[in-house]
Amino acid sequence: GYIFKMDWEDAGDLGWSSDFPALNATWPMRYLFYYPNPEDVHPAQLEYLSAYVDSFEFAMNSPDFADPELGYRQFADEASFIDYIILSEFTKNVDGYRLSTYLHKDKEGKIHAGPPWDYDLSWGNADYMEGWLPSGWDYQIQGTYTNQCAFWWQKFFEDTTFQNNLKCRWNELRENELSPGTIKAEIDSLAARLSVSTGLNFTKWPILGIYVWPNPQPIPQTYPGEIAKIKTWVDQRIAWLDSHWPGECLVNTAQAVPAIPEFRVSV
């Protein structure tokens, strides 16, 4: 199979141009190979994967994009994109949807979103692109502040069935993995495990209470203050999402969308 991504393009990268521009852009989106390595990719593989992604994008751009047979679902695994969106929105990752954004396709399989990667500028830890705010949609912010985001991220939200399945999956995860109690217990567990390391870290680099790009204000003066800040942000973010997810869950949450095993959030 293949792994490809949307990211900054470096010398030596192998990729292809989409037939569609990114949001707010006049130039085409670029997709980059991640696996196999560029030097190992046969021209036929590049042609095959780019053609498959083209088919997905043309389906997304068609009037029948939401049709279960004629639309994007024949090319993309809906459940994986739902989980990716939930993770990106819950963490409000300012790089989400556009940088370090990986997609994969197994042999003879559909496009899957993920694996997820690069969440250092999330959880309220960014003073740009509204990253510090626990309110607001991350996918809309990407389409407002950047010109690197593929058009089809926003198209998902125009599909009523997708919205309903997204709401069901959110409700399912909120019962355990994404409950405030679970997330804050994970934060406490990691803080305890790293207690010796954090002490050494701030002895070597005394940056507590000091601005380091892109830390948002106010900056806590202590490490316990940092822990309290992220917990407060998590509570506020979950509350905002609870009241703003579009769609309506009309079926039992356990039957809504095929679950991806071992969904877990780490901070």
Side-chain angles (χ1 to χ4, degrees):
Y2 306 95
I3 302 175
F4 57 107
K5 65 177 181 174
M6 293 168 276
D7 207 345
W8 300 113
E9 188 165 2
D10 297 321
D13 284 343
L14 176 65
W16 71 92
S17 296
S18 166
D19 286 310
F20 299 92
L23 294 172
N24 298 330
T26 57
W27 54 86
M29 274 291 304
R30 289 283 294 170
Y31 295 101
L32 306 174
F33 258 96
Y34 185 77
Y35 177 85
N37 293 326
E39 61 270 20
D40 298 325
V41 175
H42 190 277
Q45 292 177 300
L46 176 59
E47 181 179 355
Y48 166 75
L49 184 60
S50 61
Y52 195 94
V53 176
D54 282 349
S55 297
F56 162 65
E57 292 196 310
F58 276 101
M60 264 296 200
N61 194 54
S62 76
D64 298 318
F65 82 98
D67 186 280
E69 301 297 331
L70 303 176
Y72 66 85
R73 288 178 177 85
Q74 60 182 312
F75 303 107
D77 179 78
E78 180 183 10
S80 71
F81 282 89
I82 284 174
D83 271 12
Y84 182 90
I85 287 172
I86 287 176
L87 182 58
S88 297
E89 294 298 337
F90 175 52
T91 61
K92 206 178 183 188
N93 182 12
V94 299
D95 286 341
Y97 303 110
R98 65 187 181 99
L99 297 175
S100 299
T101 298
Y102 291 81
L103 306 166
H104 67 274
K105 182 188 180 304
D106 291 336
K107 184 178 181 180
E108 299 181 0
K110 297 180 181 182
I111 299 170
H112 287 66
W117 187 252
D118 194 3
Y119 286 77
D120 58 327
L121 302 181
S122 58
W123 305 89
N125 185 40
D127 62 1
Y128 65 101
M129 289 176 57
E130 303 180 20
W132 70 95
L133 292 175
S135 60
W137 292 113
D138 194 28
Y139 79 93
Q140 291 180 347
I141 290 168
Q142 300 296 347
T144 300
Y145 287 87
T146 77
N147 54 15
Q148 302 166 296
C149 187
F151 78 93
W152 40 262
W153 286 117
Q154 291 193 359
K155 291 283 286 189
F156 282 124
F157 288 87
E158 298 176 21
D159 177 1
T160 300
T161 300
F162 186 92
Q163 290 181 14
N164 293 342
N165 290 338
L166 179 63
K167 183 66 174 289
C168 287
R169 179 63 167 155
W170 171 256
N171 291 348
E172 177 188 357
L173 293 170
R174 278 284 281 108
E175 294 177 3
N176 186 11
E177 291 91 343
L178 296 186
S179 71
T182 298
I183 296 298
K184 288 190 283 189
E186 181 78 4
I187 292 171
D188 287 337
S189 174
L190 291 170
R193 187 185 308 174
L194 296 172
S195 59
V196 174
S197 298
T198 52
L200 294 171
N201 179 82
F202 294 121
T203 298
K204 176 68 173 179
W205 295 284
I207 58 173
L208 283 170
I210 298 173
Y211 176 80
V212 177
W213 183 89
N215 299 158
Q217 301 289 340
I219 299 174
Q221 300 299 304
T222 65
Y223 188 66
E226 292 280 4
I227 298 298
K229 182 179 180 180
I230 194 173
K231 287 182 177 180
T232 297
W233 192 91
V234 165
D235 281 337
Q236 294 173 344
R237 184 62 177 163
I238 289 176
W240 190 88
L241 289 170
D242 278 343
S243 60
H244 286 82
W245 280 117
E248 184 178 2
C249 188
L250 304 174
V251 296
N252 184 289
T253 56
Q255 300 174 345
V257 179
I260 296 177
E262 299 181 4
F263 186 107
R264 181 177 177 181
V265 175
S266 296
V267 292

